[in-house]
Amino acid sequence: MIERRQSGRPVGYLNINSLQSHILQGEAAAAGSTGDFTWILSAISLAAKAIAARVRMARIEDVLGDSAGANVHGEKQQKLDLIANELLMRCLGSRPSLALVASEEDDQPTILRKADEGGKYCVIFDPLDGSSNLDVSVGVGTIFSILRNDPTIPGAVETLCQQGSKQVAAGYVLYGSSTVFVLTTGNGVDMFVLDPTIGSFVLVKRQLKIPATGKTYSVNEANRPTFPEGFSRYLDWAQQNGYSSRYIGSMVADLHRTLLKGGVFLYPPTKKNPEGKLRLMYEANPMAMIVEQAGGKAVTGAGGSRMLDVQPTSIHQRTSVVIGSRDEVDAVVKHL
Ligand code: AFP
């Protein structure tokens, strides 16, 4: 970061450490790197800028509200879900090292090319998480996960069903009061913010660490009557011990706050969603990798086992989630 001065007067603080140059630097330092990975991240960054622009203009362009269809989960798709999905598909589709892409909005993965045609990686994404909040201008986000393509596995779904611990990178983009890009490639977590004046994500925090504690829990407490008993015991304990509650209902926004300020985010099993509501591969695994890389913890709400060790059996599988500051996750698990 450079502070520029003219005639002895400060003229502003110019941060020109862009996401692009940051990734290129990392790649230059890695032996035998080919640039393939950088191309994929640049596609995600380009799509994120385009989505950010659409989200900001949504009310003006009249693209708020439901589209005609529902997704594979039976949920109403917002018009912007489809726009964000299309933008990511288009940006990623042109990257020569991509074998497969899978979107939360699509029933089946899209096969782009085989390993012997150069397909080295797979990208899984939730194009616009929290989109039911769009009408009221609440923060929403894109979540993504990058996996290697294993040419020895025949089917697309089987190829994607890898444990979260095998992710080579994960990240999210929060379209909030600023547009924030949080990324891990397995070497800690870095945070970038979109500078709209230059059209680049610029590095604002290297090696982000989640506080080990934080007396805030984030959960849809209206579901409490149908939570397994342990979660109610935890909530009683937290309330007796001076905890505060924050819940937006948009995982990226709730998790971003938890990452920066500490605390715990929970989506327990409920009567309506006995396996939990969130998607293992599109939401829980990428967030778990980020939070672990930042020094936190992520476990399932059933049994408290490490999220990244869960073996997926389907790409749209749901899971319960307990994720956040190390000590706060432990405090929840102690009550289960
Ligand atoms: P939408 O994308 O349909 O808004 O769902 C958002 C979400 O998957 C996740 O971002 C939230 O944490 C969670 O659902 C909120 O669920 P509840 O409305 O049941 O609390």
Side-chain angles (χ1 to χ4, degrees):
M1 289 192 276
I2 304 163
E3 191 172 9
R4 288 189 3 215
R5 286 169 190 273
Q6 276 173 2
S7 335
R9 270 189 309 124
V11 292
Y13 194 61
L14 182 64
N15 179 343
I16 49 165
N17 198 349
S18 70
L19 172 65
Q20 194 81 6
S21 52
H22 182 75
I23 301 164
L24 284 167
Q25 272 163 19
E27 193 168 73
S33 62
T34 55
D36 294 334
F37 192 63
T38 307
W39 268 104
I40 294 172
L41 285 170
S42 84
I44 296 172
S45 137
L46 179 62
K49 288 182 218 172
I51 296 169
R54 297 276 71 79
V55 166
R56 302 246 175 275
M57 293 292 286
R59 193 165 285 282
I60 297 166
E61 291 180 346
D62 196 22
V63 286
L64 290 173
D66 294 343
S67 69
N71 66 15
V72 61
H73 315 282
E75 297 158 346
K76 275 264 173 213
Q77 284 172 308
Q78 305 284 307
K79 291 176 196 158
L80 268 176
D81 281 327
L82 302 181
I83 293 171
N85 201 31
E86 176 67 19
L87 284 166
L88 275 155
M89 283 292 183
R90 274 214 239 158
C91 291
L92 287 166
S94 62
R95 297 309 195 236
S97 61
L98 264 187
L100 291 168
V101 282
S103 163
E104 194 201 48
E105 298 300 329
D106 296 334
D107 200 357
Q108 292 296 325
T110 302
I111 302 170
L112 295 171
R113 55 192 67 76
K114 299 194 175 111
D116 58 12
E117 295 161 349
K120 274 168 56 180
Y121 295 102
C122 311
V123 177
I124 300 179
F125 59 83
D126 179 353
L128 210 51
D129 185 65
S131 57
S132 59
N133 291 309
L134 276 164
D135 291 15
V136 290
S137 303
V138 162
V140 293
T142 297
I143 310 173
F144 63 91
S145 159
I146 306 181
L147 297 161
R148 277 185 212 289
N149 178 30
D150 181 346
T152 63
I153 304 175
V157 170
E158 293 76 6
T159 302
L160 292 172
C161 281
Q162 302 181 29
Q163 288 167 313
S165 55
K166 297 201 173 139
Q167 294 171 107
V168 289
Y172 64 79
V173 186
L174 170 62
Y175 311 104
S177 56
S178 58
T179 303
V180 184
F181 195 121
V182 172
L183 173 70
T184 179
T185 55
N187 263 320
V189 177
D190 298 320
M191 180 164 78
F192 305 81
V193 171
L194 182 61
D195 178 344
T197 62
I198 58 170
S200 276
F201 284 104
V202 293
L203 183 66
V204 291
K205 181 79 186 161
R206 197 189 281 270
Q207 295 295 316
L208 191 67
K209 292 287 170 218
I210 184 170
T213 59
K215 291 182 103 175
T216 305
Y217 63 78
S218 185
V219 67
N220 186 342
E221 231 167 328
N223 293 328
R224 181 172 172 162
T226 72
F227 286 164
E229 237 178 75
F231 287 96
S232 270
R233 279 197 295 272
Y234 164 74
L235 290 170
D236 286 339
W237 172 85
Q239 285 162 11
Q240 285 152 18
N241 283 276
Y243 277 62
S244 185
S245 152
R246 290 282 183 279
Y247 190 69
I248 295 166
S250 182
M251 191 195 194
V252 177
D254 279 314
L255 231 289
H256 188 62
R257 186 199 53 251
T258 306
L259 186 66
L260 266 54
K261 301 203 164 191
V264 63
F265 172 89
L266 313 110
Y267 208 108
T270 60
K271 191 171 171 202
K272 187 172 167 205
N273 291 299
E275 308 299 326
K277 179 186 177 194
L278 302 179
R279 266 52 60 135
L280 173 65
M281 304 203 66
Y282 302 101
E283 294 169 307
N285 272 346
M287 290 306 196
M289 181 178 182
I290 293 165
V291 166
E292 280 202 4
Q293 285 289 321
K297 267 182 133 170
V299 300
T300 65
S305 42
R306 185 182 178 228
M307 187 66 69
L308 295 180
D309 288 339
V310 175
Q311 175 60 57
T313 51
S314 102
I315 49 166
H316 293 296
Q317 178 171 338
R318 292 178 191 263
T319 181
S320 51
V321 175
V322 180
I323 183 168
S325 296
R326 193 193 55 219
D327 294 358
E328 305 304 337
V329 171
D330 287 344
V332 177
V333 172
K334 237 175 31 200
H335 290 86
L336 300 184

